[in-house]
Amino acid sequence: MVISLWVCAIFGAHAAQTINEENPYELVQDVAMKTFDRMKENQQKIENDPEVLRTIMEEELLPHIDYQFAAFMVLGKHFKSVPKAKLSEYVSVFRQYLITTYAVAMGYYDNQDVEFEPAASYADKKSVTVRAIVKDPQRPEINIAFKVRKDSRTNEWKAYDMVAEGISMLNSKRSEFESILRQQGIDEVIKLMNDKIAEPVQLKEREETAE
């Protein structure tokens, strides 16, 4: 649910095609429009084969997500207990897991509108929160907060978490995986993610509006 809201918020925005990775506020909106435009261009292909959404998510969205940082954050206190030989496999599968999650969430996208709050000063900051409101005529407004961090090596900003109505995507995944990590270990978490990746992407049935 949280991830679906995140993706709907991202893709409902309006921004320029150029991705400005040196401004966290423009980054979120730039990625939004670029990816959304590509979805519109490939609408027929997506309807014929929803798996096309995976390709779009991987090529347009993932380059601007710090998936490795997010993967480690999800492990939480269990990070140190995971064998180093397993970490690279876990991160690789987590990356594909995110692609799948975004693709599945976009099957529910139905042209929601989003209003971003004005940009604040981010000089000398390593992380910022980009806030927005998701507006849908059929549902109450939803407050969204995007967590974006700066790469100290490249000075580029990348998103790593989203909080919807107080629910953090990373915290939700950490809670979901915590007991599995404690009782069964990293291999079971990897299996769980691979099972999700193996599921086909499906589009939500659009409700017909009566005249």
Side-chain angles (χ1 to χ4, degrees), residues 55-189:
T55 301
I56 297 175
M57 298 303 106
E58 181 170 16
E59 295 179 356
E60 305 295 351
L61 181 60
L62 254 291
H64 309 288
I65 302 292
D66 194 342
Y67 64 86
Q68 178 170 291
F69 181 78
F72 291 163
M73 288 282 287
V74 167
L75 288 179
K77 64 181 181 181
H78 295 281
F79 173 78
K80 293 182 179 179
S81 64
V82 175
K84 290 184 178 180
K86 279 289 179 182
L87 275 179
S88 60
E89 179 185 1
Y90 162 73
V91 171
S92 177
V93 174
F94 187 86
R95 179 181 183 278
Q96 292 303 123
Y97 178 72
L98 284 183
I99 291 170
T100 298
T101 302
Y102 299 148
V104 170
M106 283 313 301
Y108 288 81
Y109 178 68
D110 199 17
N111 295 313
Q112 287 85 352
D113 290 326
V114 176
E115 291 184 3
F116 285 90
E117 291 186 355
S121 173
Y122 58 92
D124 300 323
K125 290 187 177 181
K126 295 181 179 179
S127 65
V128 300
T129 299
V130 181
R131 303 183 187 281
I133 299 175
V134 180
K135 295 191 173 184
D136 188 322
Q138 315 264 333
R139 302 175 183 85
E141 293 183 354
I142 301 170
N143 293 306
I144 302 289
F146 301 91
K147 301 293 185 178
V148 191
R149 67 189 295 267
K150 187 176 184 178
D151 188 313
S152 58
R153 298 169 300 172
T154 66
N155 290 326
E156 295 176 348
W157 292 83
K158 290 190 176 184
Y160 68 91
D161 191 18
M162 188 278 291
V163 179
E165 294 295 332
I167 302 174
S168 161
M169 182 192 73
L170 288 188
N171 288 344
S172 296
K173 287 300 169 186
R174 185 185 297 137
S175 297
E176 179 183 348
F177 293 163
E178 201 279 332
S179 62
I180 301 174
L181 284 165
R182 186 179 66 253
Q183 298 174 17
Q184 299 169 278
I186 192 66
D187 284 332
E188 187 62 24
V189 170

Side-chain angles (χ1 to χ4, degrees), residues 1-10 105 134 142 144 146 162 164:
M1 177 65 174
V2 169
I3 296 174
S4 295
L5 292 173
W6 183 14
V7 179
C8 286
I10 288 177
V134 180
I142 301 170
I144 302 289
F146 301 91
M162 188 278 291

Side-chain angles (χ1 to χ4, degrees), residues 35 38-60 99 102-104 106 200-203:
T35 314
R38 183 165 174 192
M39 286 184 61
K40 289 192 294 185
E41 292 169 3
N42 291 274
Q43 183 176 358
Q44 190 59 56
K45 288 183 179 180
I46 292 170
E47 290 179 1
N48 293 336
D49 180 14
E51 292 296 324
V52 171
L53 284 170
R54 291 188 204 256
T55 301
I56 297 175
M57 298 303 106
E58 181 170 16
E59 295 179 356
E60 305 295 351
I99 291 170
Y102 299 148
V104 170
M106 283 313 301
V201 177
Q202 296 182 343
L203 301 181

